[in-house]
Amino acid sequence: MALHLHLCSSFSGQELVLGRRWKHSFPKKTTQSPNQLSISCGTFPFSNTKFRRPYTSVMIVPTGVGASIGGFAGDALPVARTLASVVDCLISHPNVLNAAMLYWPLPNVLYVEGHALDRFAQGSWALQPIHRNKVGLVLDAGIEEELRIRHLQVADATRASLGLPVVEYVVTDTPLQVEKWVDHRSGQSTGRIRHPDSLLRAVHTLVNHSQVNAIAVVGRFPDDDVKEMEDYRQGKGIDLLAGVEAVISHLIVKEFQIPCAHAPALSPLPLTLSLCPRSAAEEIGYTFLPCVLAGLCNAPQYVAKDSGTLGQGCILASDVDSVVIPIDACGGEGTLAFARSLRHKPLIIAVEENQTVLDDTPDKLGIKAVKVSNYWEAVGVIAAHKAGVDPNSLRRNGINNIRLSSVSPCNGYLASNTV
């Protein structure tokens, strides 16, 4: 039996032969035998994705909170890669997408700094996708000469081997003096820089002199005692660097409203024979800079919604269809803004396997969320949601009888049937 598929007029007069048995001929008059089946493209008028708006998802793994997945050296990147293959647009932040010397180009992923992601979720800022940014590099004056040269060589390598538009660098006029510690109330890492004005002056120079519109910062971090790093190298505990890294990038994004990410400068650690794979990306080179430069070169620009400059193609919080978050890390500004949106509330998906030092669960915060055991299940929920299918219908006994509305029509008006 030959199966003739009459599909698209652009293939008129052509034939596609698949294997030995099936012959597909495209719109071209043929004489059909009684055993032949003809299927017209009119049967599937909405099969083309152009009839649907892009499905957008946000993936959040807060920084410096000891997340089981995403709390180490880019170990949430496989999740982001998988989600990106299912959704049309994935929005995430450096903590998820950075892996020190490693990175992965994902054309449908938007690299958005944490403070900007919060403003986006709250509806204050929109995201404007771009073809490329001009990236400026700020180096801490506290970085030793040899380590500074290593970072400049990395920047040149990304320019020559990847074609990244890293245009100029400046050195701060004063060492930043980065300090870090663990907040004993929350258990997450945090910190400060003693000379934030020096950092802001350096960024101002690059923005105004070189017209850059994205900033990579390398701050000299204090070297930890190897014993203090042992838990992290074994895939346990929290990232002691991540909290103050967020403080640095937040400062710049808040002040200049442009993409920013940070890479710490550290002395190389001595070789260990027992290293957890989740921490290994940070020990295969001299710097953490490559992933930062790669992410920033295509990061979307941030546009204030009240600026009157929203261009065509800007992405708004109302465009977000789903948000994926660790089960006990739902208390961040961005997640709360999405969950409490009145106009367009995305599907919140809480992943139980990804636990942190926090205790901000959906139940505790009164957030309606779909709880899933792991990211495998989260991907399935998103695939169903994107297809327009109620995810509950994929579960045994997931659908109950339809409910009677609590309000009923009365002479053209709605009247409550409850007292």
Side-chain angles (χ1 to χ4, degrees), residues 28-239:
K28 165 180 163 183
K29 290 186 179 180
T30 59
T31 302
Q32 287 182 269
S33 72
N35 292 327
Q36 292 175 334
L37 174 65
S38 176
I39 301 177
S40 168
C41 64
T43 308
F44 309 105
F46 300 108
S47 60
N48 196 314
T49 56
K50 71 179 182 181
F51 292 105
R52 295 187 179 188
R53 70 172 180 79
Y55 185 96
T56 301
S57 188
V58 172
M59 178 184 174
I60 299 174
V61 181
T63 303
V65 296
S68 302
I69 301 171
F72 297 88
D75 59 308
L77 185 52
V79 179
R81 288 184 59 195
T82 305
L83 287 176
S85 73
V86 176
V87 303
D88 297 308
C89 175
L90 178 66
I91 300 170
S92 196
H93 53 110
N95 186 58
V96 170
L97 301 171
N98 285 352
M101 292 290 289
L102 305 178
Y103 65 94
W104 195 270
L106 296 166
N108 64 328
V109 174
L110 298 181
Y111 183 92
V112 181
E113 193 275 340
H115 177 80
L117 186 53
D118 289 343
R119 301 290 82 76
F120 167 73
Q122 293 164 352
S124 302
W125 291 2
L127 303 178
Q128 176 67 68
I130 48 84
H131 290 294
R132 76 166 200 168
N133 291 316
K134 292 175 62 178
V135 181
L137 175 62
V138 175
L139 299 178
D140 185 353
I143 301 174
E144 300 89 333
E145 182 180 7
E146 180 177 338
L147 195 53
R148 175 176 59 83
I149 292 172
R150 293 288 189 187
H151 282 83
L152 291 176
Q153 288 174 343
V154 165
D156 282 340
T158 63
R159 295 168 65 229
S161 299
L162 303 179
L164 299 189
V166 184
V167 294
E168 283 191 11
Y169 80 96
V170 297
V171 178
T172 61
D173 54 29
T174 305
L176 298 180
Q177 293 188 11
V178 177
E179 297 178 350
K180 57 186 175 63
W181 62 84
V182 174
D183 186 328
H184 295 291
R185 293 172 299 176
S186 66
Q188 61 191 104
S189 65
T190 185
R192 65 177 178 179
I193 53 175
R194 283 191 169 273
H195 299 288
D197 290 346
S198 176
L199 175 60
L200 294 177
R201 285 192 296 270
V203 175
H204 185 272
T205 297
L206 284 172
V207 169
N208 287 275
H209 178 264
S210 306
Q211 285 78 52
V212 304
N213 53 1
I215 293 290
V217 180
V218 181
R220 182 60 166 102
F221 274 49
D223 292 321
D224 290 304
D225 184 274
V226 175
K227 293 181 180 179
E228 293 179 359
M229 292 290 294
E230 191 58 29
D231 279 350
Y232 181 79
R233 298 178 91 186
Q234 296 302 317
K236 299 178 290 186
I238 63 173
D239 184 346

Side-chain angles (χ1 to χ4, degrees), residues 330-353:
C330 298
E333 292 183 38
T335 303
L336 290 176
F338 282 126
R340 294 171 180 174
S341 173
L342 298 177
R343 296 186 61 186
H344 179 84
K345 187 174 297 185
L347 181 69
I348 307 296
I349 303 170
V351 182
E352 293 174 337
E353 189 175 60

Side-chain angles (χ1 to χ4, degrees), residues 213-409:
N213 53 1
I215 293 290
V217 180
V218 181
R220 182 60 166 102
F221 274 49
D223 292 321
D224 290 304
D225 184 274
V226 175
K227 293 181 180 179
E228 293 179 359
M229 292 290 294
E230 191 58 29
D231 279 350
Y232 181 79
R233 298 178 91 186
Q234 296 302 317
K236 299 178 290 186
I238 63 173
D239 184 346
L240 298 174
L241 312 179
V244 69
E245 286 194 273
V247 170
I248 292 170
S249 64
H250 289 3
L251 173 66
I252 294 172
V253 171
K254 184 177 181 180
E255 181 71 21
F256 294 94
Q257 199 175 310
I258 59 175
C260 176
H262 179 271
L266 296 163
S267 299
L269 291 169
L271 180 68
T272 178
L273 297 179
S274 58
L275 180 66
C276 176
R278 293 189 295 167
S279 304
E282 294 180 353
E283 304 207 24
I284 60 175
Y286 293 99
T287 84
F288 298 178
L289 190 54
C291 62
V292 168
L293 298 178
L296 287 173
C297 72
N298 292 313
Q301 288 293 312
Y302 313 138
V303 183
K305 286 184 65 176
D306 59 2
S307 66
T309 59
L310 287 183
Q312 186 177 6
C314 277
I315 300 173
L316 308 176
S318 58
D319 294 318
V320 173
D321 297 286
S322 59
V323 178
V324 188
I325 190 80
I327 185 69
D328 54 10
C330 298
E333 292 183 38
T335 303
L336 290 176
F338 282 126
R340 294 171 180 174
S341 173
L342 298 177
R343 296 186 61 186
H344 179 84
K345 187 174 297 185
L347 181 69
I348 307 296
I349 303 170
V351 182
E352 293 174 337
E353 189 175 60
N354 198 3
Q355 298 180 351
T356 75
V357 298
L358 305 176
D359 189 29
D360 299 324
T361 63
D363 292 340
K364 184 176 179 180
L365 298 173
I367 294 175
K368 183 179 179 181
V370 175
K371 299 176 185 176
V372 297
S373 298
N374 48 54
Y375 282 108
W376 289 349
E377 292 185 9
V379 172
V381 169
I382 287 176
H385 196 232
K386 180 186 177 185
V389 173
D390 182 348
N392 291 305
S393 67
L394 275 64
R395 301 292 302 275
R396 181 182 179 185
N397 300 323
I399 299 296
N400 297 320
N401 294 105
I402 191 168
R403 295 181 302 174
L404 175 66
S405 175
S406 59
V407 294
S408 57

